[in-house]
Amino acid sequence: MNKKTVIVYTTNDCIECTMVKKVLTEEGIPFEVRDISINPAFQKEVEQYGFLGVPVTVLHDRAVKGFTNELKEIMDLAKS
């Protein structure tokens, strides 16, 4: 995995998750999808970042929940 790879924790029925993935794709930012409904270990990873639900977007040790302005910070870091 590239050191600048963004990880998006998601589920299939999550509208905010879809929005996060769409924006990352539009910005040309590569990301790895980790679906918590398929792999319970991914839910434990989300909880280690201090969150219970998705989407959670992670780059290095920075994690943000939801489709918020904080997501832009991760996108800027991924592009730099």
Side-chain angles (χ1 to χ4, degrees):
M1 184 164 62
N2 182 312
K3 66 181 178 119
K4 288 199 176 189
T5 298
V6 173
I7 299 169
V8 179
Y9 292 92
T10 184
T11 60
N12 280 336
D13 59 350
C14 166
I15 293 169
E16 279 192 347
C17 301
T18 301
M19 291 168 40
V20 168
K21 293 183 285 187
K22 181 176 188 274
V23 168
L24 291 172
T25 300
E26 288 172 353
E27 292 292 323
I29 298 170
F31 60 94
E32 174 187 338
V33 174
R34 295 189 181 176
D35 190 328
I36 65 168
S37 65
I38 293 172
N39 187 337
F42 293 154
Q43 176 64 45
K44 295 215 179 301
E45 290 175 23
V46 166
E47 291 169 7
Q48 287 177 340
Y49 288 109
F51 303 111
L52 296 176
V54 292
V56 173
T57 307
V58 179
L59 179 61
H60 307 304
D61 59 351
R62 177 91 169 98
V64 299
K65 167 96 171 61
F67 188 75
T68 66
N69 288 338
E70 290 180 301
L71 180 61
K72 184 173 181 339
E73 295 172 23
I74 283 189
M75 291 169 48
D76 290 344
L77 280 171
K79 289 188 208 178
S80 63

